[in-house]
Amino acid sequence: MYPFLLVTHLLAAIAFIGTLFFEVVIWHRARQQLADTAQSTADQAIAVRSRKVLHGVVLLLYGAGVGLAWQYRGALSQPLASSFGMLLSLKILLALSIIGHYLLLAYWLTHARLTATRASWIRRSILGHMVLIVILAKAMFYWHG
């Protein structure tokens, strides 16, 4: 079961990070070359499709992540006892912070407070969190392997 969870988690992480990378690095600049009406139409189409795809991806990512973390619950019970436990704990903390970002985003959406600046900030912050999680995951292999 562990190899299945590991591959599922890895592929979901690639999809999640790839989507955010596209939105933050590629689309943010490319949209500036479009007319305002085209920008708005494209933004809405990408947002709708992104939400549909990412809901499943996030469920797989976090579900597999919980399954993987469960295998190391001993290291999590004393996170400062080993480098691996500390790195895993930091990775989980960042993952929980991403959930917090999405809760904040949902709040802004439901209260009509989501501005273009806030949307850009939250995407960049989540992408930064994900990059840190990938670095921590790689470091975990160094200390665990």
Side-chain angles (χ1 to χ4, degrees), residues 9 84 87 91 131-142:
H9 190 64
F84 179 83
L87 293 171
K91 189 176 170 202
V131 168
L132 288 173
I133 288 171
V134 168
I135 292 168
L136 289 172
K138 189 64 178 173
M140 286 168 53
F141 279 106
Y142 175 77

Side-chain angles (χ1 to χ4, degrees), residues 117-138:
T117 301
R118 285 180 172 175
S120 178
W121 171 83
I122 210 158
R123 282 188 194 104
R124 290 169 192 242
S125 181
I126 292 170
L127 180 60
H129 278 66
M130 290 301 296
V131 168
L132 288 173
I133 288 171
V134 168
I135 292 168
L136 289 172
K138 189 64 178 173

Side-chain angles (χ1 to χ4, degrees), residues 17-116:
I17 294 170
T19 301
L20 285 170
F21 181 84
F22 169 79
E23 289 179 357
V24 170
V25 178
I26 297 171
W27 178 243
H28 180 73
R29 289 282 187 203
R31 70 186 296 279
Q32 295 171 352
Q33 298 174 9
L34 302 174
D36 288 344
T37 55
Q39 281 182 17
S40 178
T41 302
D43 282 342
Q44 288 175 355
I46 290 171
V48 167
R49 184 65 185 150
S50 183
R51 275 193 292 268
K52 285 182 181 178
V53 171
L54 285 183
H55 285 135
V57 168
V58 167
L59 284 174
L60 286 173
L61 179 63
Y62 278 84
V66 168
L68 290 170
W70 184 254
Q71 305 290 324
Y72 298 103
R73 59 191 176 276
L76 288 171
S77 67
Q78 296 181 347
L80 299 178
S82 68
S83 296
F84 179 83
M86 185 173 57
L87 293 171
L88 181 57
S89 297
L90 286 172
K91 189 176 170 202
I92 290 169
L93 185 65
L94 287 169
L96 291 172
S97 176
I98 290 171
I99 291 172
H101 280 69
Y102 278 107
L103 292 173
L104 179 59
L105 178 62
Y107 173 80
W108 285 341
L109 282 169
T110 58
H111 290 82
R113 292 183 155 182
L114 183 64
T115 63

